[in-house]
Amino acid sequence: MSIQKLSHPPRILLSDKTAEELAPKIEAILGVDGYVRVTAQQMHEGIADADFCFVSRDITSTSTKQNIIPETQYVYDALKNSKALQWVHIHSAGVDRQIFLDLMARGVTVTSSSGASASLVAQTALTGLLSLSRRFPQLAAAQRAHVWAPFFKVGLPPDLEGQTATIVGWGPIGQKLAAWLKAIGLNLIVVRQAASSTIPDTRVVSFNEFSSILPETDWLVLACPLTAQTTNLVSADALSRMKPSAHIVNISRGAVIDEPAMISALKSGRLAGAYLDVFAQEPLPADSPLWDMPNVIATPHTAGFSDAILQRMAEKFLENLGHYAREESFINVARLS
């Protein structure tokens, strides 16, 4: 998808930090006089409007989907009230925040930075999977308690090689993780929109077949976008079909899982463990049982963070800006499900 070339230099809403850092690169694409930088304050005051916006990481800051800080909301409100807005690029891979859904519904093109953090997220998911497989949470607890607890005292963990990992979603994260899991020796099942899709040496099923493959799944890895189809995908019924020895790895979105049902399964032993980087509500409430479960690793939605990630996110925006300048189709265009 591409957007129509404007008859005037594009007015781009950027944060102060991003405007300063990216100015040379934007000028290299559009020319020194080829764009106008706009602020949210100017938009609120009615003295400027924006055609484009890059919602950089410093704009969302510490906001989550459920808890939006005033500074972030200020920018969101500017976008909602814009009459000229045509394109918004966001720093994240996911586009499920309400503001972006609302903008898409009114015809604004929204693009994401999908792929920028794929390797990092896949590394983190693999780390969580391996840590659960080798019972690092229990070993760490024993270390803190100064207890010598070798496996022969508490039960030997099963071999990971030969187990089955089901990966839901076949984007950059799922593909990267699949290659590593294959190298370790796991069998793979991939859940995609169409079972007719082919992946070499890999079994592919559709979402309609999701429930049927759960009984043979040892590791359920959720790497899919949040859509109407994937919301509550891992329901109480789905959890009841899984092996008691099975684990969940979720680096997708918290709403993909029925969280209370998962907590119940973890407590009762109907599910062996979980690595979770995302939750139904973020920040995870202090009274959530997930904090203290010995079979859970919980991290604060940090799977895609590194000291180079902000630059890679900005590069995705600049790549699409170049596509605009050349009147080419955008990459990573989001669509309403």
Side-chain angles (χ1 to χ4, degrees):
M1 179 186 291
S2 58
I3 61 174
Q4 187 174 0
K5 199 73 176 287
L6 299 169
S7 60
H8 58 269
R11 299 163 294 181
I12 309 177
L13 173 59
L14 301 165
S15 70
D16 291 342
K17 179 175 181 290
T18 301
E20 180 179 358
E21 291 177 350
L22 296 189
K25 293 183 178 181
I26 296 176
E27 290 171 7
I29 296 170
L30 300 177
V32 175
D33 299 317
Y35 76 104
V36 177
R37 187 263 171 133
V38 172
T39 68
Q41 181 176 346
Q42 290 173 326
M43 295 174 69
H44 278 283
E45 292 174 352
I47 60 175
D49 203 347
D51 302 298
F52 305 158
C53 174
F54 175 29
V55 180
S56 48
R57 190 68 183 81
D58 57 316
I59 288 177
T60 56
S61 185
T62 58
S63 292
T64 66
K65 187 188 297 186
Q66 296 85 8
N67 295 280
I68 303 174
I69 64 172
E71 294 82 358
T72 303
Q73 189 63 54
Y74 187 73
V75 176
Y76 287 177
D77 288 342
L79 296 176
K80 283 193 289 187
N81 295 328
S82 171
K83 302 254 190 310
L85 192 65
Q86 292 193 38
W87 168 44
V88 172
H89 184 91
I90 58 177
H91 64 82
S92 62
V95 296
D96 49 288
R97 292 197 182 199
Q98 192 60 50
I99 176 64
F100 306 128
L101 299 177
D102 292 343
L103 291 174
M104 283 190 282
R106 78 178 214 210
V108 175
T109 297
V110 175
T111 57
S112 75
S113 295
S114 176
S117 62
S119 183
L120 297 172
V121 177
Q123 289 171 33
T124 307
L126 180 63
T127 301
L129 188 154
L130 292 175
S131 296
L132 289 169
S133 173
R134 300 305 301 163
R135 297 183 178 168
F136 272 34
Q138 293 85 345
L139 293 172
Q143 177 185 350
R144 289 191 295 271
H146 297 195
V147 173
W148 189 260
F151 285 141
F152 67 82
K153 287 187 177 182
V154 296
L156 298 175
D159 283 344
L160 188 60
E161 189 172 356
Q163 291 189 347
T164 296
T166 293
I167 301 177
V168 182
W170 195 240
I173 296 169
Q175 294 174 38
K176 178 74 73 173
L177 187 57
W180 295 338
L181 294 178
K182 276 187 177 181
I184 292 172
L186 277 83
N187 302 311
L188 293 185
I189 302 173
V190 171
V191 181
R192 301 186 70 179
Q193 290 290 342
S196 58
S197 303
T198 58
I199 302 170
D201 303 318
T202 302
R203 181 179 166 193
V204 180
V205 302
S206 69
F207 278 93
N208 292 334
E209 301 171 87
F210 176 68
S211 294
S212 68
I213 50 86
L214 291 175
E216 58 188 294
T217 297
D218 297 294
W219 298 90
L220 179 59
V221 182
L222 302 168
C224 52
L226 181 64
T227 65
Q229 186 175 44
T230 61
T231 298
N232 207 39
L233 178 70
V234 185
S235 61
D237 178 69
L239 289 162
S240 71
R241 297 171 185 269
M242 298 180 69
K243 304 176 185 179
S245 59
H247 294 74
I248 289 175
V249 173
N250 191 9
I251 34 81
S252 170
R253 287 292 186 266
V256 173
I257 301 176
D258 180 338
E259 197 167 280
M262 178 185 64
I263 290 172
S264 176
L266 289 164
K267 282 182 174 179
S268 66
R270 290 184 290 107
L271 184 67
Y275 166 61
L276 308 168
D277 187 55
V278 289
F279 304 89
Q281 181 174 338
E282 297 179 4
L284 182 65
D287 60 355
S288 171
L290 293 170
W291 288 112
D292 300 310
M293 288 185 169
N295 53 348
V296 170
I297 301 173
T299 54
H301 206 147
T302 55
F305 282 52
S306 77
D307 60 358
I309 188 58
L310 298 181
Q311 179 181 342
R312 288 202 294 273
M313 290 170 172
E315 290 298 330
K316 294 292 184 181
F317 163 68
L318 294 169
E319 184 176 353
N320 266 338
L321 191 63
H323 288 311
Y324 161 76
R326 296 185 297 272
E327 300 186 57
E328 299 169 350
S329 296
F330 283 161
I331 61 166
N332 294 344
V333 177
R335 291 176 174 80
L336 288 171
S337 58

